[in-house]
Amino acid sequence: MLTLTEVETLARTAHEGQTDKAGRPYTEHLQAVADGVRSRGGDPDQIAAAWLHDAVEDDALSETWLTDAALSDRTKAVVRAVTKRAGETPQEYAGRILATPGALLVKEADLAHNADPARLAVLDEPTRTRLTEKYARMRALLGLTAP
């Protein structure tokens, strides 16, 4: 099995050169989500999933890689649960997260960082408004209280 240090290194390498909407290195988001999972009492499977939560969705790593990776079945299930699928409704996405043990905590940490006012403040007003509403809708679908 991959250690958390190995998973972190793998995720950082897979997302190397990618930036977020504000132009920041994407790995900062991965670090924040992993730290958020850890601070919320997440276990090693969830922390590993936090590092990898966008890897398949962003085509940084393939589904085949995930299937064959030396990761626990639980980590793989959480990564799959939080990976958005083409044509999927927000309700379907939220339902899968809620049905997968351990996935809600990872998505909660992801949403918390995505909706961080300091992070959103550097975006233009239409983008900031759109994303704030999107994250609030997802929090509601997941039954999460206000951040």
Side-chain angles (χ1 to χ4, degrees):
M1 295 301 249
L2 294 170
T3 66
L4 280 177
T5 300
E6 291 169 328
V7 170
E8 175 183 347
T9 299
L10 216 158
R12 288 182 181 280
T13 300
H15 289 276
E16 190 173 345
Q18 293 180 348
T19 57
D20 66 12
K21 290 173 181 63
R24 302 288 309 158
Y26 199 76
T27 54
E28 290 179 5
H29 173 64
L30 302 178
Q31 177 79 61
V33 175
D35 290 348
V37 167
R38 188 177 287 110
S39 72
R40 288 170 172 80
D43 61 34
D45 287 341
Q46 291 169 305
I47 296 166
W51 277 109
L52 299 170
H53 79 278
D54 281 335
V56 175
E57 183 178 319
D58 292 349
D59 293 323
L61 296 170
S62 70
E63 173 61 35
T64 301
W65 176 87
L66 182 63
T67 297
D68 296 339
L71 298 165
S72 72
D73 289 342
R74 184 163 175 254
T75 294
K76 293 176 187 183
V78 170
V79 171
R80 287 184 179 108
V82 300
T83 298
K84 292 179 195 149
R85 299 174 185 164
E88 180 174 51
T89 67
Q91 293 80 4
E92 291 167 331
Y93 178 55
R96 186 175 62 254
I97 291 168
L98 291 170
T100 305
L104 182 60
L105 185 70
V106 174
K107 188 61 185 177
E108 181 180 16
D110 179 38
L111 287 169
H113 188 248
N114 283 339
D116 180 343
R119 196 163 180 238
L120 290 171
V122 301
L123 303 175
D124 62 77
E125 182 61 34
T127 301
R128 185 170 51 247
T129 300
R130 178 181 60 79
L131 292 176
T132 299
E133 291 170 359
K134 174 184 170 183
Y135 301 144
R137 280 192 307 273
M138 184 52 60
R139 287 185 67 81
L141 286 171
L142 293 171
L144 297 170
T145 58

